[in-house]
Amino acid sequence: MRKEGRTTKKNDIEKLSDAQIVELVLSDLNAYRYIIGRYEEKLLRYIRRILYVNKEDAEDILQEVFVKAYRNINSYNRKYKFSSWIYRIAHNEAVSFLRKKNNKFDTVQDDEIFDKIPSKSNIEDDFLTDLKGLEVRNILERLEKKYRDVLILRYFEQMEYNEISDALRIPSGTVASLINRGKKKFKILVQKYGKNI
Amino acid sequence: MAKISNRILEKIEKEDIKPIGKWSFVLKNSILWTLFVLNIIFGSVGFALSIYLFESSDILNLVLSVNDFLELLILAIPTIWLILTILFVVVGYLNFRYTDRGYKISFLKLLLINISTIILLGIGIHSLGVPKNVNKLLAERIPSYSELTDPRYKVWSRPEQGYLSGSISSLEENDKLILKSFNNTVWRIDVSSAVVRRAVNLVKGEKIKVRGNTVGEGLFKASEILPWEGRGRKMQEIYQ
């Protein structure tokens, strides 16, 4: 009976939106488990995509992201998407990791994290579809960080422009122009280096 | 994956991590907004003072009589207030940028909004006559304020170019007076053929501006004597 009740509660919580779970978290830390469950995989991949760190380092960063998110949970504005808010924290944490390490860490050739290229049905753009994970990874690594950040959020995290704007704290117009220019630069790099990378 | 969530929740419980109060974020945001508004107000007052001091520099009257307009323009620009105004624009921009949704507006757009708001408000404040009182107040409270900010001191301290100013130390016979300039040089002024403006009383201690030319070491022949204060027609009218 007790187990059944717990399962019902779990199912109920799983049906809630992120913002509604955040409300619960304020009174019950255990509800935070659902937020972590929803985002740990996505954020772990995201961190590895922007930093090229090994899984263990990425998990350490991820832990800090969730701790920081919990500490600052009251700064989340319910009018906006929770995903943008937590991606922003992840992005900041990744940047701060990069600064602390001063770029002195071993990069890992985990190409499979770039294999999951979004389908055309999600994003009407095919500039990535003919490339393999390894090529995408290496070309992205050659791009300036500002272009890499927006391209990853747009084409791997499948975010809308306004969500990227909220995640990176830059105007939507800037997001659009960075994506446009980033794609052009990406295509130039593909032509230049192709499969020789 | 469940391991990560357990690890995180354990850390939060073990280290007794608590969410930062909502009031703290509201306060931070309110402080940034207040600072932004204050910077816009200060910037506008700064711009109004810049216009006021620029006008006071007499450039509009002098421009026709000088060859080097650029030099005069540089002399007449109230540099300190203009720099302060730009500083208020920049700080205002930064305050807004770090508010909750400050990143939504692009750098250029926000800068243009800031600058145009400050210019429009500044013109409004200037037309209400506020800068005159603010300038007077600051001059009374801050030592050397006038010398540092008022371009008239620069414009009217160029005897070689025919612009001299200071306070009358004494009046002598034969249409001569002794003037102590603002940089403490003593000049003997010949006023025999000078046009004296209505607001000038030619009394000891009076601050005046003199146009003319140097005729020797410490000697100046005045062609026109103007009051230090006042730019109105009545003040500047030629005494009949």
Side-chain angles (χ1 to χ4, degrees), chain A residues 29 33 36 40-41 59 63-64 66-67 70-75 77 80 165-166 169-171, chain B residues 1 4-9 11-13 17 19-20 22 25 97 99-101 103-106:
Chain A
L29 173 61
R33 194 181 295 277
I36 299 172
E40 62 185 333
E41 238 181 284
E59 280 182 359
Q63 182 173 313
E64 278 312 302
F66 282 117
V67 170
Y70 178 70
R71 196 176 278 135
N72 293 285
I73 201 95
N74 276 316
S75 76
N77 186 340
Y80 302 95
S165 156
D166 292 336
R169 286 184 70 86
I170 51 175
Chain B
M1 284 297 177
I4 294 184
S5 59
N6 285 340
R7 226 166 68 193
I8 294 163
L9 292 178
K11 186 180 160 96
I12 291 172
E13 275 181 329
I17 296 165
I20 299 168
K22 199 173 180 65
F25 299 103
R97 183 75 178 81
T99 56
D100 195 21
R101 314 313 287 174
Y103 62 91
K104 293 266 180 193
I105 302 176
S106 72

Side-chain angles (χ1 to χ4, degrees), chain A residues 131 139 184-197:
Chain A
L131 296 165
I139 292 169
K184 278 179 195 158
K185 284 178 186 278
F186 188 94
K187 284 173 188 170
I188 291 169
L189 287 173
V190 171
Q191 280 171 359
K192 194 171 174 186
Y193 298 105
K195 288 174 184 174
N196 299 321
I197 295 173

Side-chain angles (χ1 to χ4, degrees), chain B residues 128-148:
Chain B
L128 291 172
V130 177
K132 189 181 174 185
N133 297 324
V134 175
N135 199 54
K136 196 178 162 202
L137 191 79
L138 292 172
E140 284 166 3
R141 300 276 166 91
I142 305 169
S144 303
Y145 167 84
S146 297
E147 287 84 341
L148 287 170

Side-chain angles (χ1 to χ4, degrees), chain A residues 87-183:
Chain A
Y87 266 89
R88 182 164 86 219
I89 295 174
H91 181 83
N92 291 345
E93 207 52 42
V95 171
S96 122
F97 174 86
L98 211 63
R99 272 200 212 115
K100 271 186 227 158
K101 292 269 181 176
N102 204 15
N103 285 326
K104 284 175 191 157
F105 58 90
D106 297 327
T107 56
V108 182
Q109 293 276 355
D110 278 336
D111 316 317
E112 81 280 0
I113 54 170
F114 289 99
D115 278 341
K116 290 183 180 173
I117 292 163
S119 64
K120 280 185 186 177
S121 59
N122 288 330
I123 293 170
E124 289 174 6
D125 200 305
D126 60 353
F127 86 107
L128 289 169
T129 47
D130 294 333
L131 296 165
K132 286 191 176 142
L134 175 65
E135 291 170 287
V136 176
R137 177 206 188 281
N138 288 336
I139 292 169
L140 280 176
E141 201 178 359
R142 283 167 190 265
L143 268 182
E144 279 175 69
K145 191 180 170 296
K146 57 182 178 182
Y147 300 121
R148 194 167 66 220
D149 285 346
V150 289
L151 290 181
I152 287 173
L153 287 173
R154 177 73 178 141
Y155 295 102
F156 292 94
E157 310 304 323
Q158 304 196 19
M159 280 187 174
E160 296 298 329
Y161 284 19
N162 62 326
E163 293 172 310
I164 299 173
S165 156
D166 292 336
L168 298 179
R169 286 184 70 86
I170 51 175
S172 294
T174 310
V175 172
S177 63
L178 283 175
I179 287 177
N180 269 332
R181 270 184 273 152
K183 268 161 58 181

